[in-house]
Amino acid sequence: MKATIFGLVFLFISTAFSQENFPQDAFRSPLDIPLVLAGTFGELRSNHFHSGIDIKTQQREGLKAYAIADGTVTRIKVSLWGYGKVIYIAHPNGYTSVYGHLQKFSPKIEEYINKIQYKKQAFEVEVFPDFGELKVDQGELIAYTGNTGGSSGPHLHFEIRSSVSEKPTNPLLYGYDIKDNTVPVLSGLYVYPLSKDSQVNQSANKLELKFSKQSDGSFLAEKVYATGTIGFGINSFDRQDLAANQNGLYQVQQLVNGKVYTDYDLESFSFGETRYINTLIDYQHFGRYRQRIQKLFKTPRNTMSIYNEVYNNGEIDVAEGLSYNVEILMKDIENNTTKVVIPVEGKKEVLKISKKEDKTANYLVAKKPNTYDLEGAQVYFPSNTFYEDFYIDLKKGADTVTIHNSTVPAHQNFTITFDAAKFSPEERKQLFIARLDSRLRPSHMTTYKRGNTFSTRTRNLGTYTIAKDSVAPKIRATNFKEKQWLSNYKYLSLQITDDLSGIDSYSATLNGKWILMEYEPKKNTITYNFDANILDQKECNLEVVVTDNVGNSTTFKSSFYRK
């Protein structure tokens, strides 16, 4: 009987989502201030779509965040990266709300999570409370906004997901009022020859098109003379009325002679497909110029569910002697629309610019596994690491190797293995695999050491080397001094830094008892908020141990007084 009821509930919730019924009055705002956005749902980010909205918090932390409806807390996570401090609340109507980058939790949730942190003696924890264990009412204080995790400034990351499929949906579909009468901005327009025999404006390569604004507010592009199969791409963003941020579009449509060739929107997506964003954008262009061109044609590995309609994969077959009227519509969620019209004429011209091909000695077939010997290292690509076949550029070396460049995206991890036999066992302790940036600055890669072999897993092509870190981390007190009276202090703060491989772990005790210190990597600080239960002595002895990623360790000791 119980299983039958569960099945009916699952069917009801699934049906509700399939019918795209988004309740307009079920949820209150998570904040008491007017909602102004720094980021929109589905924005194009590095290797993923943005799965929520980023709400501005007036450039400050500590604003009260509230449960948008009655529910139960199903997940709490404290992390140095990602969402930082985050709460997940399941609601009876089949949705789950998510609140990220929090400064701290409400007193009852803070007490709950602190007990777990002290039990595990760890700052970073993830817990899944039993259903109903932490109930909340609509409008109940659940946390305070912050800047924790991978946040680049104070804001609230807010999501609404399906409790069944866990798919995030656009929160602005649920009746939240965002002031927006501003049309999207078109900043770049591109045309691509796609078939072997195609050309555009006497070129076999991608071209940027000029466009001008018309009296009705639309744009008219320069005429395209083409033959063969072509496609278009746009560099575009949206803005709300009260913010200058360059946000993502909600919907893009491409029509050819009035027929819809491409129509996709960012109403919802699954986390399992989000990395396929790399097939939506022109990744080679992004790797070179850090600009995301959205392609209006689908490549074979693009299997995303964001498309409402696609004809001929969005590609346009141009026949000589025929004319085509291409319209591209860029829309935000309020249906503010920017239109660009591109006249296309089928005309075969003398080819002046041949197709650019960077051929190397190694041609990688994406659907097969590939292994390459690089003298001092080896790289292994599992099958389907990449979306397309390509000529891969490899530079061999004893301690440093280059594996192509950042213009090709990898969909999954590949493995780089270095031979460390020439180093002594003592030297190996301080060695690690590092990725070098364009200025040859090393960044630590998680390094697995097995005897003479060092390996790492990554999705980033580029230059890798064996680096050495022989310098231990540094620890410095920032708000107190040795033997100082701290009776009126609310917290202790220390700065911890490492010059190369980075901080791996830290631990602190006060009078021999483990204490919870919050680590903020963006500020290189660890902070202890005084807990009266642990301070039963007037003289307090603090000990902090910090270890970097190759095992170099530093111990800081200090004593102070407190009534």
Side-chain angles (χ1 to χ4, degrees):
M1 184 64 173
K2 188 180 292 185
T4 303
I5 293 173
F6 177 80
L8 290 172
V9 171
F10 181 89
L11 179 62
F12 171 77
I13 294 174
S14 300
T15 302
F17 272 85
S18 66
Q19 293 175 344
E20 301 176 354
N21 296 324
F22 301 104
Q24 299 299 295
D25 56 1
F27 301 132
R28 61 151 284 164
S29 172
L31 300 175
D32 278 338
I33 60 174
L35 299 186
V36 179
L37 302 187
T40 52
F41 182 85
E43 267 183 8
L44 310 181
R45 302 285 177 89
S46 294
N47 295 307
H48 70 285
F49 293 104
H50 189 224
S51 57
I53 57 175
D54 288 340
I55 304 174
K56 290 176 177 282
T57 55
Q58 301 173 339
Q59 298 182 333
R60 57 195 175 108
E61 301 182 39
L63 299 185
K64 293 180 178 179
Y66 304 96
I68 61 171
D70 295 348
T72 180
V73 177
T74 55
R75 183 182 178 191
I76 308 168
K77 187 174 182 180
V78 178
S79 174
L80 298 179
W81 313 110
Y83 292 166
K85 294 183 179 182
V86 58
I87 296 175
Y88 299 72
I89 300 175
H91 306 287
N93 60 358
Y95 295 92
T96 292
S97 55
V98 183
Y99 315 75
H101 304 307
L102 303 171
Q103 180 191 63
K104 61 181 179 179
F105 305 115
S106 66
K108 82 173 183 182
I109 298 176
E110 192 79 21
E111 180 182 5
Y112 178 89
I113 201 70
N114 280 354
K115 287 180 180 178
I116 295 170
Q117 289 173 310
Y118 269 93
K119 182 179 179 181
K120 294 186 175 182
Q121 294 193 354
F123 171 59
E124 291 189 279
V125 294
E126 182 176 17
V127 294
F128 300 86
D130 292 336
F131 198 86
E133 184 178 2
L134 282 177
K135 291 183 178 180
V136 294
D137 297 324
Q138 186 177 50
E140 180 178 336
L141 174 70
I142 57 169
Y144 297 86
T145 64
N147 187 32
T148 57
S151 171
S152 58
H155 72 276
L156 176 68
H157 175 86
F158 175 65
E159 298 181 19
I160 297 179
R161 302 181 181 182
S162 161
S163 296
V164 176
S165 67
E166 297 188 350
K167 289 179 65 173
T169 55
N170 196 322
L172 300 188
L173 295 168
Y174 298 86
Y176 290 113
D177 181 26
I178 306 294
K179 303 296 183 185
D180 189 0
N181 294 293
T182 306
V183 298
V185 175
L186 176 64
S187 55
L189 179 64
Y190 301 84
V191 60
Y192 295 75
L194 298 177
S195 57
K196 290 183 178 180
D197 62 340
S198 62
Q199 58 172 280
V200 290
N201 294 353
Q202 299 182 301
S203 174
N205 299 299
K206 174 186 73 179
L207 292 179
E208 184 171 7
L209 299 176
K210 297 178 181 178
F211 53 90
S212 58
K213 195 168 187 177
Q214 306 300 294
S215 59
D216 63 354
S218 66
F219 292 92
L220 177 64
E222 63 177 300
K223 194 168 189 177
V224 173
Y225 296 94
T227 54
T229 303
I230 66 172
F232 289 96
I234 56 169
N235 185 2
S236 180
F237 61 87
D238 186 39
R239 280 200 173 112
Q240 281 76 48
D241 294 354
L242 302 178
N245 302 73
Q246 296 187 7
N247 300 138
L249 302 175
Y250 174 68
Q251 185 176 21
V252 178
Q253 295 175 312
Q254 176 186 224
L255 294 84
V256 181
N257 294 338
K259 180 178 178 60
V260 175
Y261 268 52
T262 312
D263 181 357
Y264 64 86
D265 65 48
L266 276 304
E267 179 179 285
S268 180
F269 60 85
S270 69
F271 287 109
E273 66 180 339
T274 186
R275 198 175 296 158
Y276 284 98
I277 185 177
N278 294 328
T279 66
L280 174 68
I281 67 172
D282 180 341
Y283 200 93
Q284 185 179 70
H285 188 94
F286 173 69
R288 288 176 176 167
Y289 307 109
R290 312 314 291 176
Q291 297 174 343
R292 293 183 175 92
I293 299 172
Q294 299 182 51
K295 296 185 294 189
L296 304 185
F297 52 94
K298 286 183 68 176
T299 52
R301 288 289 302 277
N302 182 347
T303 58
M304 290 184 295
S305 62
I306 63 174
Y307 293 90
N308 302 310
E309 190 172 352
V310 180
Y311 174 77
N312 198 37
N313 289 323
E315 300 175 348
I316 305 167
D317 296 321
V318 180
E320 191 169 4
L322 297 183
S323 296
Y324 305 81
N325 187 67
V326 180
E327 292 183 352
I328 300 174
L329 306 177
M330 293 145 278
K331 302 180 180 182
D332 62 23
I333 200 165
E334 295 295 332
N335 206 38
N336 299 307
T337 304
T338 294
K339 180 172 77 170
V340 59
V341 176
I342 312 166
V344 178
E345 182 178 333
K347 182 179 181 181
K348 192 172 183 64
E349 299 182 299
V350 176
L351 186 66
K352 290 185 176 180
I353 304 174
S354 300
K355 188 173 182 62
K356 297 177 183 177
E357 282 192 309
D358 297 323
K359 291 187 177 182
T360 69
N362 298 290
Y363 187 72
L364 185 146
V365 178
K367 67 179 181 180
K368 296 181 179 180
N370 294 271
T371 301
Y372 298 99
D373 185 359
L374 305 176
E375 291 183 1
Q378 186 181 79
V379 59
Y380 168 68
F381 300 109
S383 57
N384 297 312
T385 297
F386 301 101
Y387 302 104
E388 299 175 347
D389 304 345
F390 67 102
Y391 284 97
I392 186 167
D393 187 19
L394 302 169
K395 292 182 174 60
K396 302 178 180 181
D399 299 328
T400 302
V401 297
T402 298
I403 306 166
H404 207 70
N405 55 58
S406 60
T407 62
V408 175
H411 187 72
Q412 59 180 313
N413 285 328
F414 56 90
T415 303
I416 305 170
T417 304
F418 279 88
D419 183 0
K422 66 180 180 181
F423 301 103
S424 70
E426 284 302 309
E427 284 180 302
R428 288 179 214 148
K429 292 178 182 179
Q430 296 180 328
L431 300 179
F432 64 96
I433 298 175
R435 184 170 187 259
L436 302 180
D437 65 11
S438 58
R439 298 182 182 179
L440 301 182
R441 295 173 299 189
S443 59
H444 174 266
M445 301 293 299
T446 300
T447 305
Y448 305 95
K449 301 180 180 180
R450 298 178 182 85
N452 298 334
T453 301
F454 289 6
S455 63
T456 190
R457 288 168 56 79
T458 181
R459 290 198 308 271
N460 297 311
L461 298 173
T463 300
Y464 290 83
T465 190
I466 293 288
K468 182 179 182 180
D469 183 359
S470 58
V471 180
K474 295 179 181 179
I475 308 174
R476 180 177 64 88
T478 58
N479 75 331
F480 67 96
K481 297 178 181 178
E482 176 73 12
K483 301 296 183 182
Q484 185 178 354
W485 279 91
L486 305 179
S487 299
N488 296 323
Y489 278 49
K490 294 182 179 180
Y491 65 90
L492 292 176
S493 179
L494 298 95
Q495 185 179 70
I496 59 174
T497 57
D498 187 72
D499 72 332
L500 190 55
S501 64
I503 304 297
D504 175 57
S505 63
Y506 68 96
S507 182
T509 59
L510 196 58
N511 294 335
K513 296 181 179 179
W514 186 88
I515 57 173
L516 174 64
M517 299 202 80
E518 299 201 6
Y519 182 26
E520 177 46 81
K522 292 191 288 290
K523 298 179 180 179
N524 296 318
T525 58
I526 53 174
T527 304
Y528 168 63
N529 294 306
F530 280 113
D531 180 355
N533 295 324
I534 204 170
L535 295 173
D536 54 3
Q537 300 176 34
K538 183 172 70 173
E539 182 176 358
C540 304
N541 295 300
L542 174 69
E543 181 173 313
V544 179
V545 180
V546 179
T547 305
D548 66 19
N549 277 296
V550 296
N552 298 312
S553 183
T554 298
T555 299
F556 172 92
K557 293 183 180 181
S558 183
S559 61
F560 57 88
Y561 301 99
R562 184 176 172 89
K563 291 182 180 179

